[in-house]
Amino acid sequence: MALLWSPESWSERLAELEANSGDLKEAPLRRDVRSLGMLLGEVLREQAGDDLFAHVEALRQGTIRRRDAEAHGNEEEAARHAVVAIDLVHSLPAERATLLTRAFAFYFELINLAETNHRKRRRIALRLNGEAAHQRGSLAGTLCEMRRVGISVEEALDWLKRVLIVPVFTAHPTEVARRSVMFKRRRIGEFLAALDRIPIPEQDMARLEELVLAEITSLWQTDEVRSRRPTVYDEIKMGLDYYDVSIFETLPNLYREISEALQASYGLEIEPLDLPQVLIFGSWIGGDRDGNPFVTPQVTRDAIQLARGHLLTYYEGQLQKIIDLLTTSAQQQPVSEQLQKRLYSYIVQVNAPDGEIFGQQYEFEYYRRFAICIKARSWQRCCPVTATWKTS
């Protein structure tokens, strides 16, 4: 069987990415939707039988014919196809109708993933073509338009200082999907993004298609919703999952994008850390007293502590990356006297002799030792009793 995502030529695939309009621009989205639909069809035949797949195809094709008839103004033919579809659904036993509904729900979920991937793809295309600064509604496009109408960079920065967006993580059970289901959807999205790489060796592409098929199969075999009512602590854990994808990954990129947009539109070079704060997050999770008898003061304290611990764990990971990267040795490049003084003061603050923190490691790598002290201080403040100084 030919690979679903395999191109006729890689130059054609690159042309799709560079296209600004027309069919070529939408070709990758159509390919993703078609390929995901074919993989879902394989799963339906394997997991639920050929009869269900035949019913799904009959209903899908009938819907397409009805839409085409409506587009051509043929109301009588459109109504006939609608009646056929209704009769098909009504003729099925409840159990089979439930599976049919589930199959279409899966199809639309996969389409949503394909559309999300296409939006990311188009953003890359705009940057490749140098048109990101002119995209209507984008930050860069807005700043370019502000400059065009005579708004100075000083005015733009002053307006930016008055902007503060506060998304709030809610505790209401509006998200019925389980964490495991959301994780699987995210993995399919990551595989779709990997399939956009140019070029991909045929073996790697085959492996990615197998992974997508396996994930769709696993989703079909997984309960979409919980079998019991979620506890407040379930909501807290789900909220912490969003921290990773909505805060830790997104926030640095947002400020970097603002910095790059100011440079592109006004020629202003400003570091992301020097920008005004435009986004902070709030949370009701574990603190919503609106009719939930299970949200107690202790639950609120636990929610805050869990969020704090999650954040500190992320910071610890980032600090460890810095420790791994800052390998500069004083024997190769001298360090400032200020750094040496600050390093000594940090060693004193953590109340540990030099040997207990570093052992025999990093003898001349003062930047590394400095980062290790920061890591030690953060955990000493969080867990003063159990904190240990490890260089990892």
Side-chain angles (χ1 to χ4, degrees):
M1 177 180 175
L3 295 174
L4 297 174
W5 275 271
S6 181
E8 293 184 5
S9 70
W10 287 110
S11 58
E12 178 185 308
R13 184 64 57 85
L14 182 59
E16 291 175 356
L17 185 59
E18 293 177 330
N20 294 322
S21 60
D23 290 342
L24 200 59
K25 171 185 172 182
E26 300 302 326
L29 175 59
R30 291 196 298 271
R31 180 172 52 250
D32 283 351
V33 171
R34 181 178 64 251
S35 300
L36 289 170
M38 292 178 69
L39 292 179
L40 176 60
E42 287 187 39
V43 171
L44 292 178
R45 284 193 295 266
E46 178 188 85
Q47 299 292 315
D50 291 336
D51 287 348
L52 177 66
F53 177 74
H55 288 142
V56 169
E57 277 299 289
L59 191 56
R60 187 178 70 87
Q61 293 294 336
T63 303
I64 292 173
R65 287 192 288 269
R66 175 190 175 187
R67 183 187 62 193
D68 290 343
E70 289 176 341
H72 290 89
N74 194 334
E75 295 183 3
E76 182 178 343
E77 184 179 354
R80 181 171 62 82
H81 287 304
V83 170
V84 171
I86 292 172
D87 289 343
L88 171 63
V89 174
H90 286 174
S91 69
L92 298 175
E95 183 179 349
R96 178 60 53 140
T98 299
L99 286 176
L100 185 68
T101 303
R102 188 165 183 247
F104 273 98
F106 265 66
Y107 179 66
F108 291 127
E109 283 181 13
L110 294 175
I111 289 177
N112 286 338
L113 291 173
E115 290 176 341
T116 299
N117 188 55
H118 192 59
R119 284 194 295 271
K120 296 177 181 177
R121 185 189 290 125
R122 295 313 307 167
R123 290 194 66 182
I124 295 174
L126 290 170
R127 296 181 69 183
L128 284 175
N129 295 325
E131 297 183 4
H134 306 290
Q135 183 183 16
R136 183 178 178 86
S138 69
L139 178 61
T142 300
L143 288 171
C144 283
E145 182 65 14
M146 289 168 62
R147 183 181 182 184
R148 188 188 68 80
V149 298
I151 297 172
S152 68
V153 65
E154 291 79 15
E155 290 177 296
L157 282 173
D158 183 61
W159 288 2
L160 197 61
K161 291 175 183 176
R162 288 185 277 170
V163 172
L164 184 62
I165 303 169
V166 190
V168 176
F169 292 98
T170 69
H172 299 296
T174 53
E175 179 57 77
V176 298
R178 298 167 59 205
R179 294 171 69 210
S180 55
V181 170
M182 296 172 66
F183 174 74
K184 293 178 183 299
R185 291 175 184 167
R186 195 177 305 159
R187 277 175 57 84
I188 294 175
E190 291 170 355
F191 295 147
L192 289 177
L195 284 163
D196 273 336
R197 288 200 303 264
I198 300 176
I200 307 175
E202 186 172 303
Q203 298 88 341
D204 293 350
M205 183 178 292
R207 178 59 179 156
L208 284 169
E209 288 194 12
E210 289 175 1
L211 290 170
V212 174
L213 179 60
E215 212 62 64
I216 295 174
T217 303
S218 180
L219 266 175
W220 182 260
Q221 296 175 347
T222 301
D223 292 331
E224 295 98 334
V225 296
R226 303 175 185 88
S227 57
R228 60 176 180 82
R229 180 176 179 177
T231 67
V232 177
Y233 287 97
D234 289 330
E235 294 178 351
I236 293 171
K237 286 189 288 185
M238 180 168 284
L240 294 179
D241 288 341
Y242 282 107
Y243 282 29
D244 297 328
V245 295
S246 299
I247 301 180
F248 300 155
E249 291 186 13
T250 304
L251 212 54
N253 291 332
L254 170 66
Y255 284 96
R256 191 177 300 112
E257 183 179 341
I258 295 173
S259 174
E260 292 171 353
L262 285 168
Q263 200 282 329
S265 55
Y266 284 100
L268 174 66
E269 294 188 4
I270 182 170
E271 291 295 324
L273 290 175
D274 296 327
L275 289 167
Q277 187 178 41
V278 298
L279 179 67
I280 61 175
F281 289 85
S283 176
W284 292 347
I285 299 175
D288 184 6
R289 298 291 194 276
D290 187 14
N292 190 339
F294 301 104
V295 178
T296 64
Q298 184 57 48
V299 167
T300 302
R301 283 190 288 267
D302 290 344
I304 294 171
Q305 187 62 32
L306 286 168
R308 185 167 181 256
H310 196 74
L311 182 60
L312 285 172
T313 299
Y314 171 77
Y315 283 155
E316 181 188 19
Q318 295 301 302
L319 277 170
Q320 188 57 51
K321 288 181 181 178
I322 294 173
I323 292 168
D324 294 338
L325 292 171
L326 285 178
T327 58
T328 303
S329 170
Q331 296 187 109
Q332 307 299 327
Q333 182 70 32
V335 299
S336 67
E337 183 179 346
Q338 291 90 336
L339 176 68
Q340 295 186 54
K341 288 182 178 179
R342 181 61 63 86
L343 174 58
Y344 177 76
S345 70
Y346 274 12
I347 292 173
V348 172
Q349 288 179 48
V350 298
N351 297 317
D354 180 80
E356 287 189 30
I357 303 179
F358 313 115
Q360 300 300 315
Q361 292 180 297
Y362 318 135
E363 183 177 0
F364 300 103
E365 295 171 351
Y366 297 120
Y367 289 105
R368 269 184 147 176
R369 292 190 167 199
F370 187 80
I372 289 169
C373 283
I374 295 175
K375 184 178 176 181
R377 287 183 66 205
S378 68
W379 281 105
Q380 187 180 45
R381 290 176 177 178
C382 176
C383 311
V385 177
T386 61
T388 58
W389 320 127
K390 296 182 180 180
T391 56
S392 300

